[in-house]
Amino acid sequence: MKMILYSYFRSSCSWRVRIALAVKGIDYEYHPVNLLKGDQLAEDYDKINPMKQVPSLQVNGKTLTQSISILEYLEETHPEPPLLPKEPIERAKVREICELIGSGIQPVQNLAVLKKVAALAGDEAKKQWGHDAIARGFRALEPLLADCAGSCSVGDSVTLADCCLVPQIFNANRFGVDMSQFPTISRVGAHLDTLEPFKAAHPTKQPDCPEELR
């Protein structure tokens, strides 16, 4: 049975999983969940993901949620090509970067938080919140990558860290973050954008991307 990925084209968490699936050459069915229209709040989807979030990955009748745990599952069940280095310290660095982005940056500026900020303080405050959350996180991420990056986030091979990095750079650009402050992040991101799996996973390549955004 093909895996089934419940995804929204611009969801950074879904995007991470799409990158890993593309790197590993795993065929899957794509089921769009329109977060702006509230598809995630539907009763049918609540049974799939009680947190009402994306991504969700169905594998042989079982459902996995939370992007980082899905990435780890894909690495364990489809170890080639590897997305974790062999050396323990490098593996730890990959996971550190994943956690910094996945726990320290993205949740602070995700759709639910931004909607709440907009409701309380208006759209301009929402934009500033997203900008500041990402910039603050990138100020921590830049020296971390400067210490361990090669052409990719950790060394010269694509890892789970890169699956997390590229969508967060996209969000940084959406919120007008000055990326000249972050030369290592920018350099690694530019390299990753040239790789075919990253092109295939890009929001504009997804079936639910509106035509005007392609």
Side-chain angles (χ1 to χ4, degrees):
M1 294 175 61
K2 282 186 181 180
M3 296 181 185
I4 300 173
L5 177 66
Y6 292 85
S7 172
Y8 178 58
F9 79 104
R10 208 160 53 189
S11 157
S12 55
C13 296
S14 300
W15 190 349
R16 299 167 189 166
V17 174
R18 295 197 306 262
I19 294 170
L21 289 165
V23 168
K24 291 180 177 294
I26 300 171
D27 193 20
Y28 63 96
E29 292 183 20
Y30 187 102
H31 285 208
V33 179
N34 191 317
L35 301 183
L36 296 184
K37 292 182 178 180
D39 290 356
Q40 73 278 19
L41 305 178
E43 184 177 347
D44 286 350
Y45 190 68
D46 180 73
K47 296 174 183 177
I48 295 169
N49 189 325
M51 281 294 290
K52 302 175 177 61
Q53 297 173 337
V54 290
S56 301
L57 185 70
Q58 290 189 332
V59 184
N60 297 326
K62 302 290 185 181
T63 302
L64 304 174
T65 66
Q66 302 303 319
S67 61
I68 302 301
S69 67
I70 293 173
L71 294 179
E72 293 274 4
Y73 170 82
L74 295 174
E75 177 67 5
E76 291 174 2
T77 57
H78 297 77
E80 296 296 333
L83 286 172
L84 282 172
K86 291 183 179 179
E87 291 298 321
I89 190 66
E90 293 181 350
R91 294 167 77 91
K93 281 296 174 185
V94 168
R95 291 183 167 115
E96 182 180 352
I97 293 165
C98 290
E99 284 295 327
L100 194 157
I101 295 171
S103 298
I105 303 177
Q106 190 276 334
V108 186
Q109 53 88 177
N110 69 13
L111 181 61
V113 171
L114 293 175
K115 282 184 174 180
K116 180 64 73 173
V117 172
L120 293 172
D123 284 342
E124 285 305 313
K126 177 189 77 171
K127 294 174 185 176
Q128 191 65 46
W129 180 282
H131 172 281
D132 292 351
I134 298 169
R136 181 172 60 251
F138 274 14
R139 283 193 290 271
L141 182 60
E142 174 66 23
L144 175 57
L145 261 61
D147 186 57
C148 64
S151 58
C152 299
S153 294
V154 179
D156 295 316
S157 297
V158 171
T159 66
L160 299 179
D162 300 303
C163 298
C164 294
L165 178 67
V166 165
Q168 198 58 58
I169 294 174
F170 181 87
N171 285 343
N173 288 322
R174 278 184 66 203
F175 283 97
V177 174
D178 177 9
M179 291 301 294
S180 68
Q181 306 171 79
F182 311 114
T184 311
I185 295 173
S186 297
R187 175 180 59 77
V188 171
H191 167 68
L192 296 171
D193 283 343
T194 69
L195 305 180
E196 289 304 321
F198 287 81
K199 293 179 182 179
H202 195 276
T204 58
K205 302 296 185 182
Q206 306 316 305
D208 56 331
C209 178
E211 195 60 40
E212 63 271 18
L213 297 180
R214 292 184 182 276

